[in-house]
Amino acid sequence: MIKLFVGGFPLNITELELVMLVSPHGEVNTIKIVRDKKTGKCKGYAFLEMTDKEGADRAMEALDGTFLGDRQLSVKITIDKPVPVKKPSFKSNNSYSSSPASYVKVGRPGEDTKKKRPRKQF
C-alpha cells in the first residue's frame, strides 16, 4: 500500500468526491479526511491509501498543483515513519501513597526480626 497526502481541497468536499477525483489514476483502498476533533469540520487535507505505487505516482503527477474550485491541490506520496515506543513514565516529586507508612516485620522464624517500610506498589 502506498499512502498519498492530498491537501488544499475545498472544505466542503466529501470522501466520495475525493475518491472520484483520484481513482482515474489508480485504485484507492482507503481514505481519511482529517477533521477537527471538537467541531468535526474538515481541515482541508486527507490521506488516501492506494494499492500500487504506479497509480500513486500517476495521481501525484496529474493532480499536484491543479486547481479544484478556487483552491490549489497539493498531492504528495508520504513515507510512514515508525511510531516511537513510549517509555513508562514514573512519577517524580517523591509522591508516595497518601496512606501513612506502615511497618512490616521481615525475617526468618527464630531470628530477631527487623522492621522495614514496604515498597510502593506500582
Side-chain angles (χ1 to χ4, degrees):
M1 295 287 173
I2 301 296
K3 190 180 280 190
L4 275 183
F5 166 84
V6 181
F9 52 80
L11 301 181
N12 61 350
I13 199 167
T14 65
E15 283 88 352
L16 182 61
E17 292 170 330
L18 197 55
V19 169
M20 289 173 53
L21 179 70
V22 176
S23 63
H25 308 288
E27 185 179 342
V28 177
N29 191 27
T30 62
I31 180 171
K32 172 67 176 160
I33 292 180
V34 180
R35 300 183 184 278
D36 183 84
K37 288 182 182 180
K38 291 182 181 178
T39 64
K41 291 183 180 179
C42 176
K43 289 189 171 187
Y45 63 97
F47 294 95
L48 289 87
E49 281 189 354
M50 302 196 64
T51 55
D52 62 347
K53 183 168 178 12
E54 293 79 21
D57 287 336
R58 285 191 302 269
M60 185 177 69
E61 289 173 16
L63 298 173
D64 189 39
T66 62
F67 283 87
L68 186 60
D70 61 341
R71 310 229 15 209
Q72 187 174 13
L73 294 177
S74 172
V75 181
K76 307 287 182 208
I77 294 177
T78 63
I79 299 170
D80 286 335
K81 296 180 183 175
V83 178
V85 177
K86 291 184 178 181
K87 295 181 181 178
S89 62
F90 297 101
K91 293 182 181 179
S92 60
N93 301 358
N94 294 332
S95 59
Y96 295 103
S97 65
S98 60
S99 63
S102 61
Y103 293 92
V104 179
K105 293 182 180 181
V106 177
R108 295 184 181 142
E111 291 182 358
D112 291 337
T113 58
K114 298 177 185 176
K115 293 183 179 182
K116 289 188 176 181
R117 248 190 237 177
R119 292 186 179 193
K120 184 175 177 180
Q121 299 293 320
F122 293 103

PDB file of all heavy atoms in Angstrom, residues 63-86:
ATOM      1  N   LEU A  63      -2.421  15.509 -10.487  1.00  0.00           N
ATOM      2  CA  LEU A  63      -3.225  16.388  -9.637  1.00  0.00           C
ATOM      3  C   LEU A  63      -2.437  17.430  -8.856  1.00  0.00           C
ATOM      4  O   LEU A  63      -3.003  18.453  -8.462  1.00  0.00           O
ATOM      5  CB  LEU A  63      -4.043  15.540  -8.653  1.00  0.00           C
ATOM      6  CG  LEU A  63      -5.050  14.584  -9.291  1.00  0.00           C
ATOM      7  CD1 LEU A  63      -5.670  13.686  -8.235  1.00  0.00           C
ATOM      8  CD2 LEU A  63      -6.109  15.359 -10.051  1.00  0.00           C
ATOM      9  N   ASP A  64      -1.153  17.208  -8.602  1.00  0.00           N
ATOM     10  CA  ASP A  64      -0.378  18.154  -7.801  1.00  0.00           C
ATOM     11  C   ASP A  64      -0.282  19.501  -8.527  1.00  0.00           C
ATOM     12  O   ASP A  64       0.143  19.579  -9.666  1.00  0.00           O
ATOM     13  CB  ASP A  64       1.029  17.603  -7.527  1.00  0.00           C
ATOM     14  CG  ASP A  64       1.784  18.454  -6.523  1.00  0.00           C
ATOM     15  OD1 ASP A  64       1.160  18.933  -5.552  1.00  0.00           O
ATOM     16  OD2 ASP A  64       3.006  18.640  -6.707  1.00  0.00           O
ATOM     17  N   GLY A  65      -0.700  20.555  -7.847  1.00  0.00           N
ATOM     18  CA  GLY A  65      -0.652  21.906  -8.408  1.00  0.00           C
ATOM     19  C   GLY A  65      -1.881  22.312  -9.187  1.00  0.00           C
ATOM     20  O   GLY A  65      -2.000  23.468  -9.583  1.00  0.00           O
ATOM     21  N   THR A  66      -2.822  21.380  -9.424  1.00  0.00           N
ATOM     22  CA  THR A  66      -4.040  21.740 -10.152  1.00  0.00           C
ATOM     23  C   THR A  66      -5.015  22.440  -9.218  1.00  0.00           C
ATOM     24  O   THR A  66      -4.895  22.367  -7.994  1.00  0.00           O
ATOM     25  CB  THR A  66      -4.719  20.507 -10.766  1.00  0.00           C
ATOM     26  OG1 THR A  66      -5.094  19.624  -9.714  1.00  0.00           O
ATOM     27  CG2 THR A  66      -3.806  19.802 -11.745  1.00  0.00           C
ATOM     28  N   PHE A  67      -5.989  23.120  -9.810  1.00  0.00           N
ATOM     29  CA  PHE A  67      -6.977  23.842  -9.011  1.00  0.00           C
ATOM     30  C   PHE A  67      -8.276  23.054  -8.951  1.00  0.00           C
ATOM     31  O   PHE A  67      -8.721  22.476  -9.947  1.00  0.00           O
ATOM     32  CB  PHE A  67      -7.233  25.230  -9.606  1.00  0.00           C
ATOM     33  CG  PHE A  67      -6.140  26.198  -9.291  1.00  0.00           C
ATOM     34  CD1 PHE A  67      -5.019  26.286 -10.099  1.00  0.00           C
ATOM     35  CD2 PHE A  67      -6.229  27.016  -8.175  1.00  0.00           C
ATOM     36  CE1 PHE A  67      -3.994  27.172  -9.810  1.00  0.00           C
ATOM     37  CE2 PHE A  67      -5.218  27.905  -7.872  1.00  0.00           C
ATOM     38  CZ  PHE A  67      -4.098  27.986  -8.683  1.00  0.00           C
ATOM     39  N   LEU A  68      -8.864  23.040  -7.779  1.00  0.00           N
ATOM     40  CA  LEU A  68     -10.187  22.458  -7.557  1.00  0.00           C
ATOM     41  C   LEU A  68     -11.022  23.590  -6.979  1.00  0.00           C
ATOM     42  O   LEU A  68     -10.853  23.958  -5.813  1.00  0.00           O
ATOM     43  CB  LEU A  68     -10.112  21.267  -6.608  1.00  0.00           C
ATOM     44  CG  LEU A  68     -11.398  20.481  -6.395  1.00  0.00           C
ATOM     45  CD1 LEU A  68     -11.902  19.892  -7.713  1.00  0.00           C
ATOM     46  CD2 LEU A  68     -11.173  19.363  -5.412  1.00  0.00           C
ATOM     47  N   GLY A  69     -11.880  24.161  -7.819  1.00  0.00           N
ATOM     48  CA  GLY A  69     -12.575  25.380  -7.426  1.00  0.00           C
ATOM     49  C   GLY A  69     -11.555  26.503  -7.391  1.00  0.00           C
ATOM     50  O   GLY A  69     -10.804  26.705  -8.342  1.00  0.00           O
ATOM     51  N   ASP A  70     -11.488  27.208  -6.286  1.00  0.00           N
ATOM     52  CA  ASP A  70     -10.522  28.296  -6.153  1.00  0.00           C
ATOM     53  C   ASP A  70      -9.307  27.896  -5.324  1.00  0.00           C
ATOM     54  O   ASP A  70      -8.506  28.732  -4.940  1.00  0.00           O
ATOM     55  CB  ASP A  70     -11.202  29.527  -5.536  1.00  0.00           C
ATOM     56  CG  ASP A  70     -11.747  29.246  -4.149  1.00  0.00           C
ATOM     57  OD1 ASP A  70     -11.929  28.070  -3.800  1.00  0.00           O
ATOM     58  OD2 ASP A  70     -11.996  30.223  -3.412  1.00  0.00           O
ATOM     59  N   ARG A  71      -9.159  26.606  -5.050  1.00  0.00           N
ATOM     60  CA  ARG A  71      -8.065  26.125  -4.197  1.00  0.00           C
ATOM     61  C   ARG A  71      -7.109  25.246  -4.993  1.00  0.00           C
ATOM     62  O   ARG A  71      -7.527  24.463  -5.837  1.00  0.00           O
ATOM     63  CB  ARG A  71      -8.631  25.335  -3.018  1.00  0.00           C
ATOM     64  CG  ARG A  71      -9.740  26.115  -2.322  1.00  0.00           C
ATOM     65  CD  ARG A  71      -9.734  26.264  -0.885  1.00  0.00           C
ATOM     66  NE  ARG A  71      -8.566  25.971  -0.133  1.00  0.00           N
ATOM     67  CZ  ARG A  71      -8.619  25.542   1.107  1.00  0.00           C
ATOM     68  NH1 ARG A  71      -9.776  25.313   1.681  1.00  0.00           N
ATOM     69  NH2 ARG A  71      -7.517  25.338   1.787  1.00  0.00           N
ATOM     70  N   GLN A  72      -5.822  25.366  -4.693  1.00  0.00           N
ATOM     71  CA  GLN A  72      -4.793  24.599  -5.382  1.00  0.00           C
ATOM     72  C   GLN A  72      -4.463  23.334  -4.584  1.00  0.00           C
ATOM     73  O   GLN A  72      -4.205  23.389  -3.391  1.00  0.00           O
ATOM     74  CB  GLN A  72      -3.530  25.433  -5.568  1.00  0.00           C
ATOM     75  CG  GLN A  72      -2.492  24.752  -6.426  1.00  0.00           C
ATOM     76  CD  GLN A  72      -1.299  25.654  -6.708  1.00  0.00           C
ATOM     77  OE1 GLN A  72      -1.138  26.684  -6.079  1.00  0.00           O
ATOM     78  NE2 GLN A  72      -0.491  25.253  -7.661  1.00  0.00           N
ATOM     79  N   LEU A  73      -4.497  22.203  -5.280  1.00  0.00           N
ATOM     80  CA  LEU A  73      -4.229  20.920  -4.636  1.00  0.00           C
ATOM     81  C   LEU A  73      -2.737  20.679  -4.444  1.00  0.00           C
ATOM     82  O   LEU A  73      -1.928  21.082  -5.275  1.00  0.00           O
ATOM     83  CB  LEU A  73      -4.796  19.767  -5.466  1.00  0.00           C
ATOM     84  CG  LEU A  73      -6.305  19.675  -5.602  1.00  0.00           C
ATOM     85  CD1 LEU A  73      -6.664  18.519  -6.511  1.00  0.00           C
ATOM     86  CD2 LEU A  73      -6.958  19.504  -4.252  1.00  0.00           C
ATOM     87  N   SER A  74      -2.429  19.992  -3.366  1.00  0.00           N
ATOM     88  CA  SER A  74      -1.075  19.512  -3.117  1.00  0.00           C
ATOM     89  C   SER A  74      -1.185  18.004  -2.920  1.00  0.00           C
ATOM     90  O   SER A  74      -1.880  17.545  -2.010  1.00  0.00           O
ATOM     91  CB  SER A  74      -0.513  20.178  -1.856  1.00  0.00           C
ATOM     92  OG  SER A  74       0.713  19.585  -1.506  1.00  0.00           O
ATOM     93  N   VAL A  75      -0.540  17.244  -3.777  1.00  0.00           N
ATOM     94  CA  VAL A  75      -0.611  15.783  -3.720  1.00  0.00           C
ATOM     95  C   VAL A  75       0.810  15.254  -3.630  1.00  0.00           C
ATOM     96  O   VAL A  75       1.632  15.497  -4.505  1.00  0.00           O
ATOM     97  CB  VAL A  75      -1.326  15.198  -4.960  1.00  0.00           C
ATOM     98  CG1 VAL A  75      -1.417  13.688  -4.858  1.00  0.00           C
ATOM     99  CG2 VAL A  75      -2.710  15.813  -5.119  1.00  0.00           C
ATOM    100  N   LYS A  76       1.100  14.542  -2.543  1.00  0.00           N
ATOM    101  CA  LYS A  76       2.438  14.007  -2.299  1.00  0.00           C
ATOM    102  C   LYS A  76       2.342  12.568  -1.802  1.00  0.00           C
ATOM    103  O   LYS A  76       1.379  12.195  -1.130  1.00  0.00           O
ATOM    104  CB  LYS A  76       3.173  14.820  -1.224  1.00  0.00           C
ATOM    105  CG  LYS A  76       3.234  16.305  -1.484  1.00  0.00           C
ATOM    106  CD  LYS A  76       4.193  16.639  -2.569  1.00  0.00           C
ATOM    107  CE  LYS A  76       4.240  18.157  -2.755  1.00  0.00           C
ATOM    108  NZ  LYS A  76       4.582  18.552  -4.073  1.00  0.00           N
ATOM    109  N   ILE A  77       3.353  11.777  -2.104  1.00  0.00           N
ATOM    110  CA  ILE A  77       3.452  10.427  -1.540  1.00  0.00           C
ATOM    111  C   ILE A  77       4.097  10.571  -0.169  1.00  0.00           C
ATOM    112  O   ILE A  77       5.124  11.234  -0.023  1.00  0.00           O
ATOM    113  CB  ILE A  77       4.283   9.511  -2.450  1.00  0.00           C
ATOM    114  CG1 ILE A  77       3.549   9.299  -3.774  1.00  0.00           C
ATOM    115  CG2 ILE A  77       4.566   8.181  -1.772  1.00  0.00           C
ATOM    116  CD1 ILE A  77       4.295   8.471  -4.793  1.00  0.00           C
ATOM    117  N   THR A  78       3.475   9.975   0.833  1.00  0.00           N
ATOM    118  CA  THR A  78       4.008  10.075   2.190  1.00  0.00           C
ATOM    119  C   THR A  78       4.781   8.818   2.535  1.00  0.00           C
ATOM    120  O   THR A  78       4.517   7.744   2.017  1.00  0.00           O
ATOM    121  CB  THR A  78       2.882  10.272   3.231  1.00  0.00           C
ATOM    122  OG1 THR A  78       2.042   9.129   3.218  1.00  0.00           O
ATOM    123  CG2 THR A  78       2.075  11.501   2.945  1.00  0.00           C
ATOM    124  N   ILE A  79       5.724   8.986   3.416  1.00  0.00           N
ATOM    125  CA  ILE A  79       6.513   7.865   3.908  1.00  0.00           C
ATOM    126  C   ILE A  79       6.146   7.679   5.366  1.00  0.00           C
ATOM    127  O   ILE A  79       6.265   8.613   6.170  1.00  0.00           O
ATOM    128  CB  ILE A  79       8.020   8.151   3.760  1.00  0.00           C
ATOM    129  CG1 ILE A  79       8.363   8.361   2.285  1.00  0.00           C
ATOM    130  CG2 ILE A  79       8.844   7.032   4.373  1.00  0.00           C
ATOM    131  CD1 ILE A  79       9.751   8.871   2.048  1.00  0.00           C
ATOM    132  N   ASP A  80       5.671   6.481   5.704  1.00  0.00           N
ATOM    133  CA  ASP A  80       5.298   6.202   7.086  1.00  0.00           C
ATOM    134  C   ASP A  80       6.547   6.128   7.939  1.00  0.00           C
ATOM    135  O   ASP A  80       7.480   5.392   7.643  1.00  0.00           O
ATOM    136  CB  ASP A  80       4.528   4.882   7.201  1.00  0.00           C
ATOM    137  CG  ASP A  80       3.112   5.004   6.673  1.00  0.00           C
ATOM    138  OD1 ASP A  80       2.585   6.132   6.662  1.00  0.00           O
ATOM    139  OD2 ASP A  80       2.545   3.982   6.274  1.00  0.00           O
ATOM    140  N   LYS A  81       6.542   6.915   9.010  1.00  0.00           N
ATOM    141  CA  LYS A  81       7.640   6.867   9.960  1.00  0.00           C
ATOM    142  C   LYS A  81       7.277   5.880  11.055  1.00  0.00           C
ATOM    143  O   LYS A  81       6.112   5.781  11.448  1.00  0.00           O
ATOM    144  CB  LYS A  81       7.872   8.257  10.557  1.00  0.00           C
ATOM    145  CG  LYS A  81       8.320   9.268   9.531  1.00  0.00           C
ATOM    146  CD  LYS A  81       8.528  10.617  10.149  1.00  0.00           C
ATOM    147  CE  LYS A  81       8.915  11.637   9.096  1.00  0.00           C
ATOM    148  NZ  LYS A  81       9.010  12.978   9.637  1.00  0.00           N
ATOM    149  N   PRO A  82       8.239   5.152  11.577  1.00  0.00           N
ATOM    150  CA  PRO A  82       7.918   4.227  12.656  1.00  0.00           C
ATOM    151  C   PRO A  82       7.431   4.985  13.886  1.00  0.00           C
ATOM    152  O   PRO A  82       7.925   6.062  14.196  1.00  0.00           O
ATOM    153  CB  PRO A  82       9.232   3.507  12.940  1.00  0.00           C
ATOM    154  CG  PRO A  82      10.286   4.316  12.289  1.00  0.00           C
ATOM    155  CD  PRO A  82       9.638   5.137  11.221  1.00  0.00           C
ATOM    156  N   VAL A  83       6.453   4.421  14.543  1.00  0.00           N
ATOM    157  CA  VAL A  83       5.899   5.044  15.731  1.00  0.00           C
ATOM    158  C   VAL A  83       6.882   4.839  16.877  1.00  0.00           C
ATOM    159  O   VAL A  83       7.299   3.711  17.145  1.00  0.00           O
ATOM    160  CB  VAL A  83       4.530   4.417  16.084  1.00  0.00           C
ATOM    161  CG1 VAL A  83       3.971   5.029  17.360  1.00  0.00           C
ATOM    162  CG2 VAL A  83       3.574   4.590  14.934  1.00  0.00           C
ATOM    163  N   PRO A  84       7.285   5.929  17.564  1.00  0.00           N
ATOM    164  CA  PRO A  84       8.230   5.763  18.660  1.00  0.00           C
ATOM    165  C   PRO A  84       7.590   4.990  19.815  1.00  0.00           C
ATOM    166  O   PRO A  84       6.411   5.149  20.107  1.00  0.00           O
ATOM    167  CB  PRO A  84       8.578   7.192  19.076  1.00  0.00           C
ATOM    168  CG  PRO A  84       7.441   8.021  18.583  1.00  0.00           C
ATOM    169  CD  PRO A  84       6.899   7.309  17.374  1.00  0.00           C
ATOM    170  N   VAL A  85       8.395   4.160  20.445  1.00  0.00           N
ATOM    171  CA  VAL A  85       7.912   3.378  21.575  1.00  0.00           C
ATOM    172  C   VAL A  85       7.948   4.271  22.803  1.00  0.00           C
ATOM    173  O   VAL A  85       8.975   4.881  23.108  1.00  0.00           O
ATOM    174  CB  VAL A  85       8.794   2.131  21.792  1.00  0.00           C
ATOM    175  CG1 VAL A  85       8.347   1.363  23.014  1.00  0.00           C
ATOM    176  CG2 VAL A  85       8.784   1.276  20.552  1.00  0.00           C
ATOM    177  N   LYS A  86       6.828   4.353  23.484  1.00  0.00           N
ATOM    178  CA  LYS A  86       6.762   5.188  24.674  1.00  0.00           C
ATOM    179  C   LYS A  86       7.378   4.451  25.855  1.00  0.00           C
ATOM    180  O   LYS A  86       7.084   3.290  26.092  1.00  0.00           O
ATOM    181  CB  LYS A  86       5.315   5.553  25.006  1.00  0.00           C
ATOM    182  CG  LYS A  86       4.693   6.487  24.015  1.00  0.00           C
ATOM    183  CD  LYS A  86       3.319   6.886  24.458  1.00  0.00           C
ATOM    184  CE  LYS A  86       2.701   7.860  23.483  1.00  0.00           C
ATOM    185  NZ  LYS A  86       1.377   8.284  23.916  1.00  0.00           N
TER     186      LYS A  86
END
